[in-house]
Amino acid sequence: KSVHKSLNQKIRKMGRSELILLALASVITTSSAFVSFNKHHVTRGAQNGLKMASDEPWFASAVATNVIDKATLDSVYQQAVTKGQDFLEFDPYYDTSKMPINTFKNKEPCIGKIISVKKIVGPNATGETCHIIIDHQGKMPFVEGQSYGVIPPGTNPKNGKPNTVRLYSIASTRYGDDMTGTTTSLCVRRATYWDPEMGKEDPAKKGVCSNFLCDAKPGDSVSLTGPAGKVMLLPERENFDADVIMVATGTGIAPYRGFVRRLFVEKTPAAANYKGNAWLFLGVANKDALLYDDEWQAVLKSNPDQFRVDYALSREETNSKGGKMYIQDKMEEYADEIFKKLENGAHIYFCGLKGMMPGILSMLESVASKKGMNYEEFLEKLKKAGQWHVEVY
């Protein structure tokens, strides 16, 4: 009763997203549950580990003035992925004409709060990659395939001016990992520089923004811009049956995590209407460097007829010529199937380091030539039809 009385006193101050979340949180039935809602915030105490689909303690050590118990958050998540989630959908769901673009700019960024930073690669991975969840208080809605800008604190020592914005592909759906619509996730690799003369890493040449994010603590503030981008959007439409081919190296996997969760995990109108097949190619150095493998395997198990995944492990596998297995080599193994899908209207996406593209383009041109196709005309046709999506950095 005391909980309900407290909620009634605050309900008049709530906005749309808070009221929706309140409705989801109505599963509270025990007098021992203490729930406090404040404007745009839902977090939990540091004592309880939030168990999500991948069993990640997303909110471990979170610091906040608002408290929501673990049982309630679990219930909110489970309701969202079983009974439906649609409070951030367009009408109709595939109409992106009103999608948010550059809501926040460099001079007036949104100030978010770090919820959690978790290393998601093994000890033998080539570098450190973190999954970072940020609370944007529902102020920065976005759609899958867009990017956020992050402005790291401090100044550039070369010119004394404030650090500039860095773009990161968003690694969650519009609902966020906790399904409340108030958080976003980034997949960030810590950028370091090994100085051969010094025989160690040179801290003066490390990536300013990636290190800021990977070193961040729960409760830290982060300046956000965006959301930005229209290139990497899913081909959602009334008859949502297009095949999707997703090609990534390293942290280029980020937008595809949002894609796969939207298509196969969350119970949204997009998932209900999707009749195509999604195929993920991921290139990394070794098994320890695989990103979100547990999630891909779970989706593969639950949707074997619509989802498939292939890895290229450059330091553990060899290609047909005896060399290292790079992403283009793995794709070439399925060249006939890929070309057939593209000819039938499939959309193909590329995300990762720009160095991935020359090898891929060369492979596609070689395959086209063997098939007696005009590669330039084929590629131009894909671009004109909107089937070719590239976001490399």
Side-chain angles (χ1 to χ4, degrees):
K1 292 182 179 179
S2 62
V3 172
H4 293 164
K5 181 178 179 180
S6 176
L7 291 175
N8 287 332
Q9 292 174 343
K10 297 182 180 181
I11 194 169
R12 294 173 182 266
K13 299 181 181 179
M14 291 183 175
R16 182 171 178 271
S17 62
E18 296 93 324
L19 288 171
I20 294 168
L21 181 56
L22 176 59
L24 289 173
S26 62
V27 295
I28 303 171
T29 57
T30 64
S31 60
S32 62
F34 176 75
V35 182
S36 173
F37 289 84
N38 200 358
K39 189 174 182 181
H40 299 297
H41 286 286
V42 177
T43 52
R44 67 154 201 83
Q47 299 297 319
N48 301 318
L50 174 61
K51 185 175 182 180
M52 304 297 280
S54 57
D55 199 25
E56 299 284 63
W58 299 120
F59 287 77
S61 302
V63 178
T65 57
N66 310 290
V67 177
I68 183 166
D69 64 284
K70 175 183 179 298
T72 300
L73 271 175
D74 280 346
S75 295
V76 169
Y77 179 82
Q78 289 303 321
Q79 286 194 42
V81 299
T82 56
K83 295 185 178 180
Q85 187 88 330
D86 62 5
F87 65 89
L88 290 178
E89 301 296 326
F90 300 113
D91 187 15
Y93 78 92
Y94 50 84
D95 181 9
T96 57
S97 62
K98 296 181 180 180
M99 62 180 283
I101 290 285
N102 296 320
T103 309
F104 289 88
K105 297 179 172 59
N106 297 10
K107 293 185 178 180
E108 295 184 11
C110 173
I111 306 302
K113 295 287 186 181
I114 297 292
I115 292 178
S116 66
V117 177
K118 181 176 179 61
K119 182 178 177 179
I120 55 173
V121 292
N124 296 318
T126 53
E128 178 184 351
T129 300
C130 296
H131 183 81
I132 302 167
I133 302 180
I134 303 172
D135 177 12
H136 60 76
Q137 305 107 42
K139 298 176 182 177
M140 283 188 74
F142 58 88
V143 298
E144 298 73 22
Q146 288 191 298
S147 300
Y148 266 9
V150 176
I151 305 175
T155 58
N156 186 331
K158 295 181 179 179
N159 56 27
K161 296 181 179 180
N163 285 318
T164 55
V165 66
R166 275 75 161 176
L167 287 178
Y168 292 92
S169 297
I170 296 172
S172 69
T173 69
R174 64 194 70 184
Y175 296 102
D177 285 356
D178 61 355
M179 308 297 283
T180 64
T182 64
T183 68
T184 190
S185 299
L186 303 180
C187 180
V188 180
R189 175 171 173 166
R190 185 190 296 273
T192 58
Y193 175 77
W194 179 269
D195 190 317
E197 294 183 1
M198 296 173 59
K200 61 180 181 179
E201 292 181 0
D202 184 351
K205 296 181 180 179
K206 67 181 182 180
V208 173
C209 196
S210 65
N211 279 269
F212 160 67
L213 289 170
C214 290
D215 289 334
K217 300 294 186 295
D220 286 355
S221 296
V222 55
S223 297
L224 303 170
T225 67
K230 296 181 179 181
V231 174
M232 297 289 286
L233 305 183
L234 280 168
E236 297 182 5
R237 53 178 65 93
E238 185 174 4
N239 297 316
F240 192 12
D241 58 1
D243 287 346
V244 174
I245 303 171
M246 303 163 283
V247 184
T249 57
T251 56
I253 197 69
Y256 308 142
R257 182 174 184 264
F259 287 7
V260 172
R261 287 172 72 91
R262 180 159 177 80
L263 296 178
F264 302 115
V265 178
E266 300 173 4
K267 303 304 179 183
T268 63
N273 284 280
Y274 187 57
K275 301 300 186 291
N277 287 273
W279 193 353
L280 173 64
F281 288 91
L282 172 60
V284 292
N286 54 37
K287 290 181 180 178
D288 268 18
L290 286 173
L291 301 171
Y292 308 114
D293 177 62
D294 56 338
E295 297 189 18
W296 313 137
Q297 298 307 319
V299 173
L300 187 62
K301 183 177 181 179
S302 61
N303 299 272
D305 296 330
Q306 282 188 283
F307 180 68
R308 58 196 291 190
V309 57
D310 282 282
Y311 297 140
L313 307 178
S314 61
R315 298 192 182 185
E316 294 183 358
E317 300 175 329
T318 55
N319 59 30
S320 60
K321 302 178 182 64
K324 291 183 177 181
M325 176 69 79
Y326 292 113
I327 192 75
Q328 64 267 22
D329 302 312
K330 180 58 66 174
M331 293 179 66
E332 189 173 14
E333 293 181 1
Y334 303 96
D336 289 341
E337 194 172 355
I338 290 174
F339 269 72
K340 184 177 180 180
K341 284 180 174 291
L342 292 173
E343 290 173 330
N344 290 333
H347 286 242
I348 189 165
Y349 298 78
F350 303 94
C351 191
L353 293 174
K354 60 183 178 181
M356 69 186 277
M357 291 309 295
I360 291 174
L361 295 175
S362 177
M363 179 274 294
L364 293 175
E365 184 174 11
S366 175
V367 172
S369 177
K370 293 176 182 177
K371 290 178 172 292
M373 302 170 61
N374 185 310
Y375 171 70
E376 295 298 335
E377 290 182 1
F378 176 68
L379 184 58
E380 186 59 31
K381 182 180 178 181
L382 293 177
K383 292 180 179 179
K384 189 174 182 179
Q387 297 170 242
W388 186 264
H389 310 262
V390 180
E391 186 171 85
V392 293
Y393 38 87

